[in-house]
Amino acid sequence: MDLPGPIHDFLLVFLGSGLILGGLGVVLLTNPIYSAFSLGLVFVCISLLYIPSNSHFVAAAQLLIYVGAINVLIIFAVMFMNGSEYYKDLNLWTVGDGVTSVVLYKYFCFTNYYYSRYVMVRDYLDYKIKPNYRARFDK
């Protein structure tokens, strides 16, 4: 699909943020039904990411198989379980959720900080060390 650059970038950011938020919802939500719906959001965003790369069949197959079959099966299995025990306490955050959030936040900050410096140094060294082959032939 030939999309203009800003629209393509917006789609990638929008679907990527949907993937990240859905993945965090799967891990951090304590109610398994909400986690299953977040997993459905992740599957839909993954299938929609195939459309800008002209993989329409893969997008349709991903949507039908994962969202239409596997996620529905997970939701039915969770609904057949005893659901009343999940509503007794409404603690949205547990200790494990807080520790996971802190560790992932530190990891993303560390990766962003050092990767940006790596790219700057790599580009600087490529600019300085790259030999100028045209200088020999221009004389």
Side-chain angles (χ1 to χ4, degrees):
M1 178 182 290
D2 294 327
L3 294 173
I7 295 175
H8 190 267
D9 293 342
F10 174 75
L11 278 175
L12 287 179
V13 169
F14 183 71
L15 293 173
S17 62
L19 278 170
I20 291 171
L21 291 175
L24 286 174
V26 169
V27 175
L28 298 178
L29 291 174
T30 57
N31 191 343
I33 293 179
Y34 294 152
S35 293
F37 284 133
S38 294
L39 186 65
L41 173 69
V42 169
F43 287 152
V44 167
C45 288
I46 288 173
S47 67
L48 291 177
L49 276 174
Y50 286 117
I51 292 176
S53 63
N54 290 330
S55 301
H56 302 291
F57 177 75
V58 177
Q62 175 94 15
L63 196 64
L64 286 173
I65 292 170
Y66 284 106
V67 177
I70 294 177
N71 198 31
V72 170
L73 180 68
I74 290 171
I75 289 173
F76 282 147
V78 167
M79 287 178 154
F80 279 128
M81 291 176 9
N82 189 6
S84 63
E85 66 188 47
Y86 297 109
Y87 296 110
K88 289 179 184 173
D89 56 345
L90 292 175
N91 295 334
L92 294 178
W93 285 88
T94 60
V95 175
D97 296 338
V99 170
T100 303
S101 299
V102 168
V103 167
L104 288 177
Y105 178 75
K106 292 292 185 181
Y107 175 73
F108 289 139
C109 290
F110 176 80
T111 305
N112 186 22
Y113 179 77
Y114 284 105
Y115 181 73
S116 63
R117 271 126 185 98
Y118 165 74
V119 169
M120 287 188 336
V121 169
R122 183 195 64 196
D123 292 344
Y124 177 76
L125 290 178
D126 283 348
Y127 176 74
K128 287 293 187 183
I129 296 175
K130 187 182 290 185
N132 190 0
Y133 294 111
R134 293 184 183 191
R136 288 187 293 176
F137 299 113
D138 289 342
K139 292 180 183 179

